[in-house]
Amino acid sequence: MIVVVPILFDCYFVKMFCQKRQGMQTDQIGKDKVGFAKFVEVTMKIAAILVFIAGLLSVSALKQVIVLLLSVS
């Protein structure tokens, strides 16, 4: 699982880069907004990134706990 998630995000970023080279802009969150609407969208974007990082860290920590438990047995 920990290998699959980074691969999926790599595909996403490569796709976004290729689309940007063709003149397409796919990252629209917080763009052309002002005031509270921009604040909410940018906050949600940051929260989504932090949730992804927390998920990776929790999977990594769980993997270490499993390895530790198996080595104790």
Side-chain angles (χ1 to χ4, degrees):
M1 176 67 179
I2 198 162
V3 175
V4 174
V5 173
I7 290 172
L8 291 174
F9 271 86
D10 287 343
C11 292
Y12 171 76
F13 286 117
V14 167
K15 177 184 172 188
M16 191 166 40
F17 175 74
C18 290
Q19 287 177 337
K20 189 171 187 173
R21 285 183 44 201
Q22 295 174 355
M24 296 180 221
Q25 186 176 0
T26 56
D27 184 18
Q28 298 293 321
I29 297 176
K31 307 282 183 184
D32 299 328
K33 302 280 170 106
V34 292
F36 187 69
K38 182 173 184 126
F39 171 76
V40 169
E41 288 194 12
V42 171
T43 303
M44 289 175 59
K45 184 176 185 176
I46 292 169
I49 292 168
L50 291 175
V51 165
F52 168 72
I53 292 170
L56 286 179
L57 291 174
S58 68
V59 168
S60 177
L62 181 63
K63 183 179 175 184
Q64 291 177 355
V65 168
I66 291 171
V67 168
L68 181 64
L69 289 174
L70 291 176
S71 68
V72 171
S73 300

